[in-house]
Amino acid sequence: MTGKLSEKVLKGDTVATARVLRLIDDGLPEAREIMKKLYPHTGKAHIIGVTGAPGAGKSTLVTKLIGLYRRDNLKVGIIAVDPTSPFTGGAILGDRIRMQDHGTDPEVFIRSVATRGHLGGLSKSAWEMAKVLDAMGKDKIIVETVGVGQDEVEIIGLAHTSVVMLVPGLGDDIQAIKAGILEIADIFVVNKADRPETNRMVRDLEVLLEMAGLKEREWTPPIIKTIATRGKGIEEIREAIENHHEYLKRSGKLEEKIKAQREKELQNIIMEMLREKIFSRIDKEKMDKLIEDIASNHKDPYSIAEEILSSILN
Amino acid sequence: MGEEKVRILVAKPGLDGHDRGAKIIARALKEAGFEVIYTGLHQTPEQIVNAAIQEDVDAIGLSILSGAHNTLMPAIIKLLKERGIDDIVVFGGGIIPDDDIPFLKSQGVAAIFTPGTPISETIEWVKKNVKPRHKRK
């Protein structure tokens, strides 16, 4: 079963790929066996991250980019992340609404993903999902994060090129000086650029880049003004994304990035396997008793954790 | 460390522009803990089936107020079958005369909820009848 699925993914089969993404998202054991087979076929796609505040225009930008890539006959995969309700565990995933122009194009694969409690702007599964779309033969993979605020920056680990979208008129200029998502941008997009505060925002960003010393680096993040709904400025973004990709390749930074990603992946996989191993060996009844002990203040959780780990690891 | 979620596509095929009902159902399903993929207005059967496949959903909920249900619902089920899929539960709601329900069911629609049905009834039905496809068999 897993062998068949992975073969189909490598041939670009949509139904099989959709199922594999599901197995990954649900954390089922078959997923790992499939990933083993797919992994050697990954590493070819250019992964682009699109992040920004809710309503900044991320999905609209993504759909316009898909259009440009398809014009050049590139195959495109999209992972669009939306938040899971912390109260009910449910989610409404609505990024597809704005991507329906490409709803019947067989070379465009769009998958909506819920965060399922994962912080950082992505779902835990997004990393492996991007790998699967890579293995199925997509040239460009666009990962759209949830609407983020200031600190959800996990996308830089996953994407080769990160696009940060801003809109004029949200908060004062101090918001832009804070650490966080502004530091991760390879490309800035100031969307809804028909608003009056646009030029001031662009000037503020330029000053900020200068102060942060970003202008002296080899790659200075360009600031691109767009009106995404009207398609204005999208060509420039696409060009900036290509320029950045070229720069990464030329400078050796792409290799560095990929190496850092592999390291992170390996760490994650080890941690995940270790977690499973440990919890599968702890007896449920014993665990309940220990929790009772903690709850009644007879023992502290630190000592108990040390006991459990030393009994398992030795 | 599996966490299996039921995924449901809520879609509005056809030409009518009233998506309040669809949005209410989408929201109620979210509140009930489902992952809802919402695709918006004016969807063609092809778009709906493509989205259902790419999103690997377990069910499709269709809202139709235009009167075209006897065409649109069977068209969607037929397209699913053509793509080799017979295990996505298709249910629907909207302004659908009682007389049309037997025909729709004979075409493979699992349930029809007509105006006046309490939302809770629909949600209970979904909970009972829709399970993750990769866990059925």
Side-chain angles (χ1 to χ4, degrees), chain B residues 75-128:
Chain B
I76 287 163
I77 291 169
K78 187 165 159 256
L79 278 174
L80 283 170
K81 285 201 179 122
E82 278 171 20
R83 303 280 297 264
I85 290 164
D86 57 5
D87 57 351
I88 294 181
V89 178
V90 177
F91 63 98
I95 301 169
I96 295 169
D98 287 344
D99 289 351
D100 288 346
I101 294 176
F103 168 72
L104 292 172
K105 289 204 167 162
S106 77
Q107 296 296 303
V109 180
I112 295 287
F113 301 96
T114 49
T117 312
I119 291 234
S120 55
E121 196 183 309
T122 310
I123 301 297
E124 278 314 307
W125 183 88
V126 173
K127 277 187 186 165
K128 223 172 114 192

Side-chain angles (χ1 to χ4, degrees), chain A residues 22 89 93 96 111-112 116, chain B residues 5 35-36 54-56:
Chain A
R22 180 73 174 276
L93 312 174
R96 272 192 108 91
R111 182 61 167 245
S112 316
R116 299 192 180 180
Chain B
K5 290 262 178 195
E35 279 182 5
V36 181
Q54 293 187 352
E55 300 288 355
D56 197 46

